[in-house]
Each structure stands twice: as C-alpha cells, then as structure tokens.
C-alpha cells in the first residue's frame, strides 16, 4: 500500500496543536522515547506543542507535518536555535509517525525535507539522538547519519527503566560535497 501524503511546515492553530498532542500521546503510550513519560496528559502535550510552534514563529525551529487526506500522520522538528558558535548546524527532533502509518516512507520523506530546508538555511551539519532500546538507529543510519557514540542510562523509557541514547551526525550541503571528495 502506497500512501499519498503532503509535507508542509505547521503553524500554531488549535486544530494543529490538538493533532500534534494526540500524536505524541500515541507515540509515548506505545513506548516512543520522545522526552515524556506514560501516561502523557493532553494538557502537557498541548503545552509542549504550543511552545514548539511559538518557537517556530520566532524562526528558532521548523515543525513539519505529513498529511494524508488532510489528517496529520507524522511530524519532525528541525531545531535551528543553536548557540552563537554553532550557526552551521541544526538538530533533528521529535520524529513521530502514527503507528498505523509506519513503514510507508513517511518518516524518510520528513527527514529528507528537514535536511533540504537545513541546507537551504545554510546549515552544513545535522545531529540527533535516539534511544538505543527500540529506537530508530537503523533508520537513521540508512539515511547516511553516522553514529558518534552511546551515552549509557541517558533517559527513562516512557513506561519506566533506563535506556541508552545514541548520538548521530551527518554533513549536509556543501560540507557533504567536500566530504565526498576526500
């Protein structure tokens, strides 16, 4: 089954915030390590997305959404607000796809679009982290991200217990072109 979906930057609107909140609640309930514990209250999820989209309004991040027939099925954030001495990098965060839409290339398309935007904004390095237990390590490696290392016992899993976190990086844009010539 091939999904037909569209990707666009999301803006602060009550319906968008509600869809994002429902998505993160589903992901956490299913064990996704995205900074929250289960059960995740709708109020907490809503507050997180309100703050994230306010940050996007200030140009500090971009929150992308994938929609199928108008319904939000996945999201990823591109964090642009790096320290003054790191204007060349951005971070991939909060990649989430509804459980019933996984395995159809939606996450891959979102990360590819986030990378394209990062290059457009003059960034040459992306970084991210993912849980070692049930995380997306193989997925990120298939997109050309390089494993930098593992931090043991970095975070709690949504249902309890510690998990290690894997740190990844990828050169993009001109830096990737130069790297490929080496």
């Amino acid at each position: 089954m091939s999904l037909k979906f569209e990707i666009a930057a999301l803006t602060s609107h009550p319906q968008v915030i509600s869809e994002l909140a429902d998505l993160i609640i589903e992901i956490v309930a299913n064990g996704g390590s995205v900074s929250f514990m289960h059960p995740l209250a709708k109020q907490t999820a809503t507050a997180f997305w309100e703050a994230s989209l306010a940050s996007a309004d200030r140009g500090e991040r971009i929150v992308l959404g994938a929609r199928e027939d108008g319904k939000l099925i996945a999201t990823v954030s591109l964090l642009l607000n790096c320290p003054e001495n790191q204007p060349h990098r951005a971070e991939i965060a909060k990649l989430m796809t509804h459980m019933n839409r996984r395995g159809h290339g939606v996450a891959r398309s979102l990360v590819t679009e986030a990378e394209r935007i990062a290059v457009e904004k003059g960034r040459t390095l992306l970084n991210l982290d993912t849980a070692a237990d049930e995380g997306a390590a193989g997925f990120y490696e298939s997109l050309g991200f390089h494993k930098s290392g593992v931090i043991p016992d970095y975070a709690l899993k949504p249902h309890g217990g510690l998990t290690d976190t894997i740190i990844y990086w990828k050169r993009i844009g001109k830096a990737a072109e130069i790297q490929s010539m080496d």
Side-chain angles (χ1 to χ4, degrees), residues 24-36 38 99 102 131 133-135 156-160 163:
I24 201 169
I25 289 167
E26 175 189 319
I27 298 306
V28 170
N30 283 282
S33 184
V34 288
S35 305
F36 295 96
H38 178 71
M99 302 304 291
R102 291 186 173 182
D133 295 339
E134 301 176 27
L156 290 173
K157 299 178 199 177
H159 295 276
T163 184

Side-chain angles (χ1 to χ4, degrees), residues 33-56:
S33 184
V34 288
S35 305
F36 295 96
M37 299 299 291
H38 178 71
L40 175 56
K42 178 87 174 202
Q43 181 179 7
T44 302
T46 297
F48 170 78
W49 287 112
E50 287 172 342
S52 293
L53 291 170
S55 176

